[in-house]
Amino acid sequence: SGTTTVTSTDPNTSAERLIIENLAGDLNATVSDGEFSVPGVSISIPTDLTAALGETVQIPLNTTEIAAASQYAAYDFTLDFDETILNFTGAVATGTLSESGSPVVNIDNVNGTLTLAWASGSALSGASPPELIILEATVVGKGTSALDITSFVFTPLVGSPDVAATVDGSILVANQDPVIDPINDQNVDESALLTVNVTATDADNAV
């Protein structure tokens, strides 16, 4: 990512202009006054995720456009989370940009960290679908857990690794209200005492 200066003997000739335009397209770049501006890749987790206690949730890591010329064939990252709210169980590559390879996941649900490494014989490209990979977790507590991505690094087939920009996410596990079971119609004499047994269920087991 960044800006690269392109030196040309005559950038106004059709042949050299075509080469520059094709190269810019491969890099998903823009060209102005002999300079390429190549956007970096950004990885993000949504900030509006919600779940209920006991549910299994899927947490996507979304990516911006990955240029084919980047030749990224591997990546690794660390995720920090609240272990009192989430217990991670693994990762899903099927249906994501990473389905050509298999992730290796190391989960520490005691200290709230997850590390993932992925590699493939073919390079990543594009942003469709937007999910780079999907993480799976079980909800074990209520509250809000930050989902902080640290040290996200792409490794190309040839060349040096690139550090990606990241946008952290979060998930809210809210309290669920108890549900009172229906009460049937009751018949009672005027001024007589009416006793009704009321039962309810609570998905959070708080009552």
Side-chain angles (χ1 to χ4, degrees):
S1 63
T3 300
T4 301
T5 300
V6 180
T7 302
S8 172
T9 56
D10 187 0
N12 293 318
T13 65
S14 297
E16 293 202 17
R17 185 167 62 250
L18 182 61
I19 292 172
I20 292 173
E21 289 174 352
N22 286 340
L23 180 58
D26 290 341
L27 294 173
N28 193 29
T30 58
V31 181
S32 177
D33 296 329
E35 291 186 339
F36 283 155
S37 178
V38 184
V41 178
S42 178
I43 305 299
S44 63
I45 296 177
T47 58
D48 57 354
L49 297 171
T50 60
L53 189 66
E55 283 186 346
T56 296
V57 295
Q58 292 193 326
I59 298 171
L61 272 72
N62 298 323
T63 182
T64 55
E65 185 79 14
I66 299 175
S70 298
Q71 291 290 289
Y72 293 148
Y75 61 82
D76 61 84
F77 67 88
T78 300
L79 180 77
D80 294 331
F81 60 93
D82 189 334
E83 69 278 3
T84 67
I85 296 175
L86 296 174
N87 277 184
F88 278 86
T89 56
V92 177
T94 304
T96 72
L97 285 179
S98 300
E99 64 182 356
S100 65
S102 298
V104 177
V105 189
N106 185 7
I107 301 167
D108 183 352
N109 283 321
V110 174
N111 297 303
T113 60
L114 175 151
T115 58
L116 185 148
W118 176 91
S120 174
S122 57
L124 296 164
S125 177
S128 180
E131 296 89 0
L132 180 65
I133 194 111
I134 296 173
L135 305 178
E136 288 191 327
T138 300
V139 179
V140 297
K142 291 181 286 186
T144 299
S145 173
L147 301 167
D148 295 335
I149 310 170
T150 61
S151 184
F152 198 112
V153 176
F154 282 106
T155 302
L157 290 170
V158 179
S160 302
D162 289 333
V163 177
T166 58
V167 179
D168 299 329
S170 63
I171 185 169
L172 170 65
V173 182
N175 183 63
Q176 301 177 84
D177 295 330
V179 178
I180 298 175
D181 297 333
I183 300 174
N184 296 327
D185 293 341
Q186 305 289 320
N187 294 321
V188 63
D189 293 333
E190 185 178 354
S191 300
L193 177 65
L194 174 64
T195 301
V196 178
N197 291 324
V198 178
T199 59
T201 55
D202 181 22
D204 294 334
N205 295 318
V207 296

